[in-house]
Amino acid sequence: LGVYRQEFYQFLEQISKHLWAITSMEYAVSLAGLAYITDADCTQVAYNGNYLYAAVKPTTGGSFEMGLYSENTCIESDTTGAAVDDYIDTSDMYLGSKDDGTTDADTVAELYVYWQSAQESTLTDVNEIFDPFKYCTLCMDYPTYQDGYFIGDTGTDDDDMINQCWKFYSHDTEVCESDCMAIANAQGNIVEITMDGTTYGTSWAGSNGGGSAGVGRNFGSSDEDNMQKIKANAFLVGNGI
């Protein structure tokens, strides 16, 4: 059992493309967020005597927002007090190449409200819909969509199901070794895990401590969400023994 990292845009895109219907709020919000952040690592957005760059900025708990930076690797934060939303463009709603134009007008209008609300620098709506995916989940085959539409009749035929773990692994995924783990630990975005004798991250609500492959854990649960996290992480630890 290894630890892997996935390119950020791909992580969001693979969820949005395959788990939600084209008429759902989640689908509109996720595509709006992807259009807003773009797939660029660091983009020049202004030059007013000083260069200004924009990129996704990690925040605590695995959340993210857009940030402004003073150099072209987007490491040094801008200190001029410039407002992010003044430099990042919003876009018209585009629900993907498979949108056949048959969605009724009322639904389109509702989706457009979701789209507009999602395109702002804190990415509050985008973070909310991706919250359930910020911890390890079981490697299961899911009924699947392709760009908002079921694959096949219902997305549940044997040849149509998609295993999300495989989907992530097959798209821009790399092994996360000690230097990678140290960066993630500094960002404060990972749950506690011990690798090669070094512990990274922090424990999440509902656990009594950290974990490592082959080591048992004692868990407590306070609600249904924590129980799902327990099941998922127990599954991963058990398969690493």
Side-chain angles (χ1 to χ4, degrees), residues 106-134:
D106 288 343
T107 300
V108 170
E110 183 178 13
L111 294 176
Y112 193 69
V113 172
Y114 294 139
W115 182 283
Q116 290 181 308
S117 177
Q119 292 196 331
E120 50 81 31
S121 60
T122 68
L123 297 171
T124 298
D125 293 350
V126 181
N127 275 284
E128 183 175 343
I129 66 166
F130 283 108
D131 271 345
F133 305 95
K134 293 175 183 176

Side-chain angles (χ1 to χ4, degrees), residues 20-236:
W20 295 314
I22 197 168
T23 55
S24 67
M25 175 272 291
E26 292 87 351
Y27 187 79
V29 169
S30 62
L31 263 63
L34 289 169
Y36 186 75
I37 69 176
T38 78
D39 60 356
D41 292 331
C42 186
T43 304
Q44 181 183 331
V45 293
Y47 177 72
N48 296 320
N50 294 299
Y51 288 103
L52 202 59
Y53 301 84
V56 174
K57 177 181 179 180
T59 59
T60 57
S63 295
F64 48 92
E65 62 186 20
M66 291 301 291
L68 292 177
Y69 299 86
S70 58
E71 41 69 50
N72 63 6
T73 61
C74 287
I75 294 177
E76 298 294 331
S77 294
D78 172 65
T79 58
T80 65
V84 179
D85 286 317
D86 290 342
Y87 294 94
I88 301 178
D89 293 331
T90 58
S91 62
D92 290 332
M93 185 170 71
Y94 176 65
L95 298 179
S97 59
K98 292 197 173 186
D99 182 9
D100 58 11
T102 60
T103 305
D104 66 88
D106 288 343
T107 300
V108 170
E110 183 178 13
L111 294 176
Y112 193 69
V113 172
Y114 294 139
W115 182 283
Q116 290 181 308
S117 177
Q119 292 196 331
E120 50 81 31
S121 60
T122 68
L123 297 171
T124 298
D125 293 350
V126 181
N127 275 284
E128 183 175 343
I129 66 166
F130 283 108
D131 271 345
F133 305 95
K134 293 175 183 176
Y135 63 91
C136 295
T137 56
L138 299 176
C139 292
M140 298 173 62
D141 290 337
Y142 290 91
T144 188
Y145 297 86
Q146 180 66 47
D147 298 325
Y149 292 92
F150 268 134
I151 294 178
D153 295 327
T154 63
T156 58
D157 294 334
D158 287 343
D159 293 338
D160 296 332
M161 305 275 278
I162 284 184
N163 184 285
Q164 280 300 116
C165 294
W166 170 82
K167 196 65 178 176
F168 290 144
Y169 181 75
S170 63
H171 286 70
D172 294 333
T173 297
E174 301 173 2
V175 174
C176 188
E177 298 180 334
S178 58
D179 56 344
C180 164
M181 293 292 290
I183 293 172
N185 181 71
Q187 292 174 343
N189 294 348
I190 56 174
V191 296
E192 187 173 316
I193 184 171
T194 300
M195 186 172 74
D196 295 332
T198 301
T199 299
Y200 304 92
T202 56
S203 59
W204 41 263
S207 76
N208 293 328
S212 60
V215 179
R217 297 181 65 179
N218 295 318
F219 295 105
S221 64
S222 56
D223 54 34
E224 183 178 353
D225 286 342
N226 281 333
M227 181 55 69
Q228 293 305 312
K229 296 176 184 179
I230 291 166
K231 291 178 181 178
N233 284 278
F235 176 85
L236 291 174

